[in-house]
Amino acid sequence: MTGTFTSFVPLRHESQSNRTFTCRARAETLGLRIRCASHLLGPEKEHHVQGIGIEYYGEQPHLIDITLPDPDAGEIEVELFAASRNPLDEAVAAGYLAGLGEFRFPLVLGFDGAGVIRRVGSGVDRFAAGDRVFGQFWSTPMQFGTFAEATLAQARPALGVLRRIPDGVGFEAAAAAPTAGMTAAGALDNSGARPGDTILILGATGGVGTFAVQEAKARSIRVLAPASAEAADALRELGVNEVLPRNGALADALASPGAPEFAAILDFAGATDSVEVAAKKVRDGGTVVSTAYGVPEALRAQTRIVATDYVLDKKPARLDHVAGALAAGVTRPIIGHEMGLEDVAHGEAPARHGLRGKTVIRLQ
């Protein structure tokens, strides 16, 4: 077997010559052509950072030491100040996305982040050192995620997107916005809902849902959402026009006299039972859009309404939209929990009361 990859085995306690020798020896043993970071970079250039990662699929994510090499052509090195968690991160760690793109080990997890560019490789004309950037750092191959003190990424990520952080927007807000904000806007676009329409949002208290509520309000779309009593006031403040009871009580509320008809249902929770119940109240020709695979097969097969899953698309245009909405104050990330790298490593569970919003990882 032959190939090329970068070795990031922690060697910080060895001399420069020993690091280079060890890296080359391991390459010969494995029959691989390795780009040894300690050989390419002088001691003064080696950049050791900590991050949360895995060495194989299915492993419990933990703190690891990595060494970032110099940026290659088209790459940028970013000092990260904040990152945010998404269900996508857990899917990668479990190996569910092994066939999508290319992942290399040891793998630092995390797609969403925000920071300052430290160095740029040749051919990078979109950004410069000192730029504040944010987005979905999904390069191909992918090895350096955002759950680290710094990362190396393609300036134009093959499967993600990066942009400058708008003036006046902090690192934590910027890190919380990319995937959730883009997904919310894309799902709402695909629902076909128009100003004056009424929609039902399932999962309105979560990261994507809180963005979707604000997006709908900005488009003059009326929003109903089931939620707990402790989250009701915060949802109304965010833009929900009417808070409905959850679970079994939702069916009774939707069956009551005067219950509205929906132009669309947006499902961000994978709430199959609730989708099935609420779909009866979607007007003919309306839509059900799920980002969490919450559309029952029977509903997908019928023709009275359009029921479909939504996978994030048009990322450059969508992140431009998110950046504009943040800059204008149209949307703001709801950060329900903040933690450090060590908290992530220890498996600290985020708070689950009120608005859950986004979990942000502080990196500096």
Side-chain angles (χ1 to χ4, degrees):
M1 178 182 70
T2 62
T4 302
F5 70 96
T6 304
S7 171
F8 299 102
V9 179
L11 302 172
R12 67 171 70 189
H13 299 302
E14 301 181 46
S15 68
Q16 170 68 14
S17 59
N18 282 344
R19 282 194 298 264
T20 302
F21 174 80
T22 302
C23 183
R24 287 173 172 170
R26 289 175 183 172
E28 292 171 1
T29 300
L30 295 171
L32 299 172
R33 291 179 289 111
I34 297 181
R35 185 175 69 173
C36 298
S38 61
H39 172 60
L40 291 175
L41 305 178
E44 73 284 358
K45 291 184 179 179
E46 282 189 337
H47 188 200
H48 297 284
V49 297
Q50 281 196 320
I52 298 295
I54 56 174
E55 296 177 55
Y56 54 87
Y57 290 129
E59 183 185 30
Q60 178 66 33
H62 59 280
L63 273 176
I64 59 175
D65 291 323
I66 58 173
T67 304
L68 295 179
D70 280 317
D72 277 343
E75 293 182 336
I76 57 176
E77 181 184 301
V78 180
E79 180 180 10
L80 292 164
F81 284 78
S84 71
R85 299 172 69 170
N86 294 291
L88 196 61
D89 307 316
E90 297 175 9
V92 168
Y96 298 145
L97 301 184
L100 183 59
E102 179 185 354
F103 298 93
R104 295 181 178 179
F105 297 91
L107 172 65
V108 177
L109 300 174
F111 289 106
D112 285 8
V116 176
I117 295 178
R118 247 194 320 229
R119 296 189 292 169
V120 301
S122 62
V124 174
D125 54 10
R126 176 179 292 271
F127 302 115
D131 285 349
R132 300 192 321 141
V133 294
F134 80 123
Q136 194 184 69
F137 289 69
W138 194 342
S139 300
T140 300
M142 179 74 177
Q143 183 164 26
F144 306 109
T146 57
F147 294 176
E149 297 160 332
T151 188
L152 195 69
Q154 294 164 332
R156 298 174 184 267
L159 296 177
V161 58
L162 300 178
R163 291 290 186 264
R164 289 182 180 83
I165 300 174
D167 291 342
V169 176
F171 288 116
E172 276 136 6
T179 296
M182 291 191 293
T183 301
L188 193 54
D189 286 346
N190 278 265
S191 76
R194 298 289 181 263
D197 283 342
T198 298
I199 65 173
L200 179 72
I201 295 181
L202 302 174
T205 63
V208 180
T210 49
F211 271 104
V213 169
Q214 296 174 80
E215 280 281 347
K217 179 181 178 181
R219 302 182 193 192
S220 299
I221 295 170
R222 189 167 182 267
V223 177
L224 276 66
S228 65
E230 62 183 347
D233 288 343
L235 277 179
R236 292 188 190 97
E237 183 179 346
L238 202 61
V240 171
N241 298 90
E242 184 179 348
V243 177
L244 301 175
R246 296 189 303 173
N247 304 324
L250 177 62
D252 294 336
L254 294 178
S256 64
E261 187 177 62
F262 302 119
I265 297 171
L266 301 185
D267 168 47
F268 303 123
T272 304
D273 291 344
S274 295
V275 168
E276 194 166 23
V277 166
K280 299 171 185 176
K281 297 295 292 184
V282 175
R283 70 190 182 196
D284 291 350
T287 59
V288 174
V289 179
S290 177
T291 64
Y293 302 100
V295 179
E297 285 303 318
L299 187 61
R300 198 187 306 274
Q302 55 74 54
T303 58
R304 184 182 70 83
I305 61 177
V306 177
T308 184
D309 298 313
Y310 171 70
V311 177
L312 181 56
D313 62 353
K314 304 176 183 176
K315 292 182 182 180
R318 299 216 184 280
L319 191 57
D320 286 339
H321 172 81
V322 169
L326 290 174
V330 172
T331 60
R332 59 181 176 88
I334 302 302
I335 299 175
H337 192 70
E338 294 187 32
M339 57 203 312
L341 278 179
E342 298 231 348
D343 299 325
V344 181
H346 294 154
E348 180 181 322
R352 292 295 180 188
H353 54 80
L355 296 186
R356 290 181 294 114
K358 293 286 295 179
T359 296
V360 166
I361 303 170
R362 299 181 305 273
L363 299 169
Q364 299 294 336

